[in-house]
Structures are given as structure tokens and as C-alpha cells.
Amino acid sequence: MEKTSTDTLPLTMISSEKQETVCIFGTGDFGRSLGLKMLQCGYSIVFGSRNPGMSSLLPSGAEVLSYSEAAQKSDIIILTVHREHYDFLTHLTEVLNGKILVDVSNNLKINQYLESNAEYLAQLLPGAHVVKAFNTISAWALQSGALDASRQVFVCGNDRKAKQRVMDIVRTLGLTPLDKGSLMAAKEIENYPLQLFPMWKFPFCLSAVLCVFFFFYCVIRDVVYPYVYERKDNTFRLAISIPNHIFPNTALTLLALVYLPGVLAAILQLYRGTKYRRFPDWLDHWMLCRKQLGLVALGFAFLHVLYTLVIPIRYYVRWLMNNRTVVQAIAKKENPFIISTAWLSDSYLALGILGFFLFVLLGITSLPSVSNMVNWREFRFVQSKLGYLTLILCTAHTLVYGGRRFLDPSTLKWYLPSAYVIALIIPCTLLVVKFILILPCIDKPLTRIRQGWERNPKFLESALNGKTDL
């Protein structure tokens, strides 16, 4: 099934048909911006104001009247005032009876009131058809053409015809309406603009935990241990060396965690023998955050690349290389060229470059402007097939980095292996389990389950009868 893109719609779709008059209550920033946008799209705009004679900075071509006079000019009224100023509407009950009243208000904090502003408005004016819309679009987005902001407008209301008319206006403005159902959804819509990166909280918290863990792990191994046993001050490693261990290890772990919930979901479906049962809430939320996890992982991979590029210009590295050169010159001795070591070094770099390239490709295709241009099969191929290839390359990059030292007892410090060994646990385990899942003897029943087959057909019957959740 191909994805359809609304981004290709022109921003100002001026209809050839004559548009009706729309009334806007309120002459603030949002009301003026919305009025200007609607004028550009061919609508006739009438502003309602408590002081019509004192209203200024209004778009040219718009009419300004009192609330009562403006309401009589149109059967669609967009209310751009805050909830605490709704009281004046009670004096307009007769005028607003039977009209479509669009509430665009937001609150200062989540769940500020027991009921949503739109529901409160519907109680205040039971004769009006209240529709919630436009609260997720800012005045700046309307002024700038929404080119750099979200075009999605959530719409909800109890009257289907009223809601459809509002959605037609949204489309005419070059925006994308999304029907959220009845007015009961208004509270969720009003809370949406107040949420700060709702889908990013889990990825950010998880990455912070991983960074803190790897930081203290590396400090114990690379700073504390040398000081205790050799009285060496390695605190200078805190600036470059330790971060350059933290970032790649965190990136690899997060990349593995992007694909781990899919494997867990497959195991759960095999165990249950059906797809008609909900996943646990934690797994549902995890799967919804996979895109954000991947982008955070890509950010850490970028940091690793940048920190690696500055290694040759570090004072410590230049001092070490010069010192070795002087020692070899005095001793008149050179290190032999080892083919196997050269292979390991070049393979390590090649795997890292290829892995990072695919990592960037995954990040680019996850952007809405790119993902909307490909069909579902192409998107799935990139995010799934190339995603696992990226994980394989990055895991191999880390394994080759360890080389012969990977499980060498001499690398242990206080019985602690290198940090990259810890970072390899989840990716290697995931790849082994994924390899098992793609074996024909397991992949075939899993594919059948995802196509609707059930090991216990009675379960679906009981589910349809309401005995269990789908």
C-alpha cells in the first residue's frame, strides 16, 4: 500500500468557487494571522471585537464589527479568545444558536481544567455546533506559510456536517486535517501542544542512563585503576578518550534497541499463536519510540566520528608518536610490518565507514519529507533490511576493533572487560535471535500468524464475543 503525501498540496489553494464569509472573534496575533491567511485563500473575513473602532493592524480587506453584528454575517465563527473570556458569549446565545463555533484555545498546563475548553464551550452554548480545530497551528506557522512547521490540524466535534465544513476550510488553507472523532477527544487535542517532546522522553532518558553508565565504567577502568595501581594521572582522558568510548557504545546499544522490540513482538506472537492480542503497554510504547531511538543513536554516531577525526591532532597522540619514533631511532630498531594487523585495521575502518553510511541513510529515510516519497515496501526494505545490515556492520566494526584483545585476560581491570565488550551484549544477542527467527521452520509459522492464522481458532471467537482484548 503506497503512502500518500499531503506535502505536495499547494500552500494557498485558492478555489475558483466563491467562498463563504467566515467570522473571527478576537483580534490578537493568531486571529489576525488566521484572517490574513483566509483572505489570501479567497474567504471573506469579518472580525468580531469588543472595541471595533480601536482594532488596528488587521489585514486589509477584512471588516471589523461588534461581536453581535459580526456573528450575524456568517454561520461559521472561529473563536480566538482564551477560556477565561468566554463569559461574553452568554449574551450572544440567540445569535450563535445553530452556528458552527470553532474553538482554537489552548491552556497553560496539561489537564488544567476537568473538562476541555471545547466541551465547556458546548455546555455554555448548547445550541451551537462546537468544533475543536487549529489549536496545534501557531500564528508564526500561518505567517510563514507552515513550510517549516507541522501542517497537521487535529479536528473533533459531535456534529458531522459542522466538522466536515471546518475540515474543508483546513484543506483550503493548504493544511492537513486529521479527524479525531467526537468532542470527547478535545482534551487530548488541547494537551498535545503542551507536551514537550512526548515521543522523545524515553529515548532521551535511556540514552542518558547509558551515557552515565559507560562514563563511570570507563572512568573506573581508565582513570581510577591506573591511579590506584600505577599512580598515573589519566584525568586528561576525560576530555576526548572517554567520550569517544561512550558515544560509539551508546550508539551501538541504542541501534540494537531499535530492533529489539520487533524481535520480542515476534517471539510473543509465536508463543501466543495469534496476532489478535494486544502487546503489553511497555512494548507498544517502545515500538512507537523506535524512530526517535534511531535518530538519537545516529546523533551519538556523529559525535563518535567527529571525536575520532580529532585524534591525530591531540597532544597526547602526537607526544606518543614522537616519543616512539625517537626511541626507535636511538635503538636503531623498527617495528616489523604485520599483514594480519594491517588487515584488522583496514577492516575495522572499512566496516565503520560502511556502517556509518547506512546509518545516515536510515536517518534520512526516516524524515517525513523523504518517507512520504516512497511506498510502504520501499520504506520497510530500507528500515528493516538495510537497518539490520547497518547493525551487522556496526557490530562487526566493534568486534574487529577488539581484534586479538577481545577476550584477552590481560585487558581486564578489576575483572572488568573493556566497555565495548559490554556494548556488544545486546547487539550480538539480538542478531543471534533474529537469525533463528528467519529460519524457514520458524519464519513460515510466524508469517502465517501475521497473515491471520491462529494456532487456537477458538481464541478469535471468544475475542469477538468480548471475552478478551484484541
Side-chain angles (χ1 to χ4, degrees):
M1 182 177 63
E2 293 192 1
K3 293 185 177 182
T4 57
S5 172
T6 56
D7 290 345
T8 57
L9 295 174
L11 190 60
T12 54
M13 296 189 305
I14 302 178
S15 175
S16 60
E17 299 179 1
K18 183 178 180 180
Q19 299 289 350
E20 72 267 37
T21 299
V22 176
C23 174
I24 298 177
F25 279 4
T27 56
D29 290 341
F30 186 83
R32 294 197 305 268
S33 300
L34 182 60
L36 175 61
K37 191 65 187 172
M38 297 184 76
L39 280 169
Q40 293 173 346
C41 292
Y43 285 96
S44 176
I45 301 299
V46 176
F47 282 97
S49 173
R50 55 187 172 183
N51 297 310
M54 299 182 64
S55 299
S56 59
L57 301 177
L58 295 178
S60 177
E63 189 177 2
V64 188
L65 302 172
S66 66
Y67 287 130
S68 179
E69 293 172 330
Q72 296 175 15
K73 293 277 188 176
S74 174
D75 59 348
I76 298 182
I77 299 162
I78 301 177
L79 187 62
T80 64
V81 298
H82 294 289
R83 173 174 174 151
E84 52 266 28
H85 303 304
Y86 284 177
D87 293 342
F88 78 93
L89 295 171
T90 56
H91 304 294
L92 304 173
T93 303
E94 293 185 3
V95 179
L96 298 178
N97 189 39
K99 294 183 182 291
I100 299 173
L101 198 55
V102 183
D103 176 42
V104 304
S105 64
N106 283 317
N107 295 317
L108 297 178
K109 59 183 181 180
I110 295 176
N111 297 326
Q112 184 172 352
Y113 302 102
L114 291 178
E115 72 284 305
S116 67
N117 295 344
E119 289 173 310
Y120 172 71
L121 190 61
Q123 295 171 11
L124 204 63
L125 300 167
H129 304 299
V130 177
V131 177
K132 186 75 184 183
F134 292 112
N135 70 303
T136 56
I137 298 294
S138 66
W140 172 84
L142 291 170
Q143 293 170 4
S144 63
L147 292 175
D148 299 320
S150 174
R151 296 182 179 206
Q152 201 169 65
V153 177
F154 296 141
V155 182
C156 72
N158 294 332
D159 188 276
R160 182 179 59 83
K161 292 183 178 179
K163 187 166 55 175
Q164 186 58 51
R165 289 191 64 183
V166 174
M167 293 174 67
D168 290 340
I169 293 176
V170 173
R171 292 189 186 93
T172 305
L173 298 182
L175 303 172
T176 307
L178 181 62
D179 190 348
K180 299 290 285 186
S182 70
L183 213 56
M184 293 177 63
K187 195 166 190 177
E188 178 187 351
I189 295 175
E190 290 172 3
N191 286 336
Y192 180 80
L194 301 175
Q195 296 175 344
L196 183 63
F197 303 116
M199 299 305 296
W200 291 86
K201 183 179 294 184
F202 173 67
F204 282 153
C205 291
L206 180 59
S207 59
V209 170
L210 288 173
C211 285
V212 170
F213 168 76
F214 283 119
F215 173 77
F216 284 106
Y217 192 91
C218 292
V219 166
I220 291 173
R221 277 182 46 89
D222 300 337
V223 178
V224 177
Y225 182 87
Y227 181 78
V228 171
Y229 284 93
E230 304 172 15
R231 293 298 171 182
K232 290 177 61 177
D233 184 4
N234 282 350
T235 53
F236 69 92
R237 292 182 178 273
L238 292 170
I240 298 293
S241 298
I242 289 181
N244 205 28
H245 289 311
I246 295 173
F247 297 147
N249 292 331
T250 302
L252 180 61
T253 304
L254 289 175
L255 180 61
L257 292 176
V258 170
Y259 296 96
L260 182 57
V263 170
L264 294 178
I267 294 174
L268 203 56
Q269 288 178 333
L270 282 171
Y271 173 76
R272 292 172 172 176
T274 180
K275 71 171 185 178
Y276 298 106
R277 288 182 64 181
R278 290 181 60 88
F279 295 128
D281 290 339
W282 59 268
L283 184 56
D284 266 336
H285 183 67
W286 189 354
M287 295 182 75
L288 290 173
C289 292
R290 288 181 294 180
K291 172 183 173 180
Q292 289 77 10
L293 279 172
L295 291 175
V296 174
L298 178 59
F300 281 108
F302 262 112
L303 287 174
H304 172 50
V305 171
L306 294 176
Y307 271 68
T308 302
L309 291 176
V310 303
I311 287 178
I313 63 176
R314 292 177 62 200
Y315 168 76
Y316 170 72
V317 174
R318 289 186 286 113
W319 171 84
L320 192 63
M321 296 302 295
N322 292 335
N323 193 51
R324 287 179 178 175
T325 303
V326 171
V327 170
Q328 290 177 358
I330 294 174
K332 295 182 179 181
K333 180 182 178 181
E334 65 178 15
N335 291 329
F337 183 80
I338 304 174
I339 297 295
S340 59
T341 302
W343 265 107
L344 283 174
S345 176
D346 287 358
S347 299
Y348 157 73
L349 294 173
L351 290 169
I353 293 171
L354 292 174
F356 182 69
F357 169 75
L358 292 180
F359 214 152
V360 173
L361 182 62
L362 290 175
I364 293 174
T365 54
S366 68
L367 298 175
S369 58
V370 178
S371 61
N372 287 336
M373 301 301 294
V374 298
N375 61 39
W376 175 245
R377 186 175 183 181
E378 293 167 342
F379 181 79
R380 187 172 180 271
F381 172 80
V382 173
Q383 294 295 324
S384 180
K385 301 296 189 297
L386 291 187
Y388 271 104
L389 179 58
T390 303
L391 181 60
I392 291 172
L393 290 173
C394 292
T395 304
H397 169 69
T398 309
L399 286 169
V400 175
Y401 168 77
R404 302 185 185 92
R405 305 166 298 152
F406 185 65
L407 296 176
D408 189 349
S410 63
T411 62
L412 300 178
K413 298 178 180 178
W414 282 329
Y415 302 102
L416 298 176
S418 299
Y420 68 85
V421 177
I422 303 298
L424 283 168
I425 294 175
I426 296 179
C428 290
T429 304
L430 173 65
L431 291 174
V432 170
V433 176
K434 180 63 178 179
F435 176 77
I436 296 173
L437 289 176
I438 63 175
L439 293 175
C441 58
I442 296 179
D443 182 61
K444 287 183 179 179
L446 180 60
T447 302
R448 291 183 63 195
I449 288 172
R450 289 175 172 173
Q451 291 175 345
W453 176 82
E454 287 191 296
R455 186 183 304 124
N456 182 11
K458 293 183 179 180
F459 174 80
L460 180 59
E461 182 180 352
S462 62
L464 294 174
N465 291 332
K467 295 181 180 180
T468 185
D469 292 331
L470 290 180

